[in-house]
Amino acid sequence: MTDTLYILGNGFDLHHGLKTSYLNFRDDYIKKRNPQIWNNLLDIYGDAPKQDDFWWKDFENMLGKVDYAHLEEDYYKLGLAPSRVQNLLKNQLPPLFGYWINGIDTNVKMDESLGINRDSMFFTFNYTLILEKTYKVPDNHIWHIHGSVINSDDIVVGHGLDERELFRDFIEHKKSHHISRTNIADYVRQMTAKGAKGVRSRILKHEDDFYHLYANIIHFIAMGFSFNDIDIPYIEKIISANRNISETDWMVYWHEDGEKESLKNKIKQLGVKEENIILQKW
């Protein structure tokens, strides 16, 4: 069994020239081809999706940030706000996201400078099949934790907030916005909660797999993964399943200015010694 695990985020696909950012999702797919869903986004989240690129860069977190005041202004009198939120998060976005990903051209060249060992294990948050098609990694070495284009109908996309966090955000929103129909706002919040990724439940469902696959990993290589708050519980589980965590080393690739120190600090917070962390720019 290999002692090396690659942890891959969307930056890995972007590094290979794929247009898989959420900004691409907005510009190339939603706005051009799905005006109804675009309008639903503006109804539920106000003007932020239209005006703020950062909203899309942090898309999954933003899906939990419903603009209650805007919903009340436009839809509460019709009683449609809760159903619109539920329909968007559960019935519209996940399959649309799957169709979009499935249509992206993934005919790319291998980056030999990365020195990827196809006999290693791979834990990937990406939906594309670059590992399988370009790097010829065996299927049984790859775990697409949120699904892949092999079955685009089952792709997982959503926010990472639970009902307690959603309630806290609602209270903060209410301080600066007039919201009169709090009973409907409660219902909206319940519908928003159903649009969560379900990271914790997914970990519990596959708990035995984490121990079976990753107990003896010594070398960790993270490429294009931001260690964001939504997905960090997976990394915490991988670490807790590992028998040799004090002996492990971590090579972490970074790209944007300011990212280097941020990534190092996040990994240190996971219990990894600083001297065991190597930061590599790509």
Side-chain angles (χ1 to χ4, degrees):
M1 181 66 72
T2 181
D3 62 358
T4 301
L5 174 66
Y6 287 82
I7 299 171
L8 305 181
N10 189 44
F12 182 77
D13 282 0
L14 295 174
H15 174 76
H16 287 82
L18 270 61
K19 295 183 178 181
T20 55
S21 74
Y22 289 120
L23 288 171
N24 293 135
F25 182 46
R26 177 194 69 184
D27 295 336
D28 301 340
Y29 208 74
I30 298 183
K31 290 176 71 173
K32 290 182 178 179
R33 305 187 188 185
N34 295 275
Q36 180 182 0
I37 293 181
W38 175 246
N39 289 331
N40 285 350
L41 281 167
L42 299 182
D43 290 338
I44 294 168
Y45 300 100
D47 289 333
K50 181 169 56 176
Q51 298 177 350
D52 189 357
D53 282 358
F54 179 78
W55 195 95
W56 287 92
K57 291 179 180 179
D58 199 25
F59 178 65
E60 291 186 328
N61 278 319
M62 291 299 103
L63 285 177
K65 307 288 186 179
V66 171
D67 189 332
Y68 294 92
H70 189 80
L71 274 173
E72 182 175 51
E73 177 185 342
D74 287 346
Y75 289 107
Y76 273 23
K77 62 183 179 181
L78 301 176
L80 295 177
S83 62
R84 278 184 174 269
V85 171
Q86 181 181 33
N87 194 40
L88 177 74
L89 296 181
K90 295 296 290 183
N91 302 325
Q92 293 180 322
L93 273 181
L96 182 69
F97 192 84
Y99 299 151
W100 168 66
I101 286 288
N102 206 22
I104 290 175
D105 182 6
T106 57
N107 184 25
V108 296
K109 293 182 179 180
M110 179 189 303
D111 184 348
E112 296 184 2
S113 70
L114 298 178
I116 290 178
N117 182 352
R118 64 173 58 93
D119 294 323
S120 302
M121 299 298 292
F122 295 81
F123 186 87
T124 178
F125 294 90
N126 298 335
Y127 310 101
T128 61
L129 303 180
I130 289 182
L131 290 173
E132 293 90 333
K133 293 184 176 181
T134 302
Y135 288 88
K136 309 302 180 186
V137 177
D139 292 350
N140 62 348
H141 285 213
I142 305 169
W143 189 352
H144 289 272
I145 187 61
H146 291 147
S148 75
V149 295
I150 292 175
N151 190 350
S152 56
D153 290 338
D154 289 336
I155 279 177
V156 177
V157 60
H159 63 80
L161 302 179
D162 58 26
E163 288 211 39
R164 183 180 60 180
E165 293 167 316
L166 289 168
F167 180 73
R168 182 191 62 206
D169 285 354
F170 168 67
I171 294 301
E172 290 300 314
H173 191 88
K174 188 178 177 182
K175 288 179 181 178
S176 55
H177 299 82
H178 174 70
I179 300 174
S180 59
R181 303 289 295 278
T182 55
N183 59 326
I184 298 184
D186 285 339
Y187 193 17
V188 168
R189 192 172 64 252
Q190 293 174 31
M191 296 301 102
T192 306
K194 292 181 179 181
K197 253 183 175 180
V199 171
R200 299 289 182 183
S201 61
R202 191 171 298 273
I203 289 172
L204 287 174
K205 179 180 178 181
H206 296 286
E207 189 165 18
D208 290 344
D209 295 320
F210 283 95
Y211 286 98
H212 173 69
L213 293 170
Y214 307 135
N216 298 307
I217 297 296
I218 298 295
H219 310 295
F220 291 86
I221 303 171
M223 294 179 167
F225 179 59
S226 65
F227 291 84
N228 63 75
D229 290 342
I230 294 179
D231 294 322
I232 203 67
Y234 291 119
I235 312 304
E236 293 172 340
K237 187 61 189 179
I238 289 172
I239 288 175
S240 70
N242 189 277
R243 297 193 185 109
N244 313 294
I245 194 59
S246 63
E247 303 171 15
T248 60
D249 55 71
W250 291 67
M251 175 173 281
V252 182
Y253 284 74
W254 61 278
H255 177 65
E256 296 182 355
D257 292 340
E259 193 177 32
K260 181 178 179 180
E261 287 302 313
S262 173
L263 287 173
K264 182 174 72 173
N265 290 334
K266 288 179 179 180
I267 297 166
K268 286 169 59 179
Q269 289 170 10
L270 293 170
V272 179
K273 297 178 181 178
E274 184 170 358
E275 58 265 31
N276 293 345
I277 302 171
I278 301 171
L279 294 156
Q280 176 69 45
K281 182 173 175 58
W282 65 351

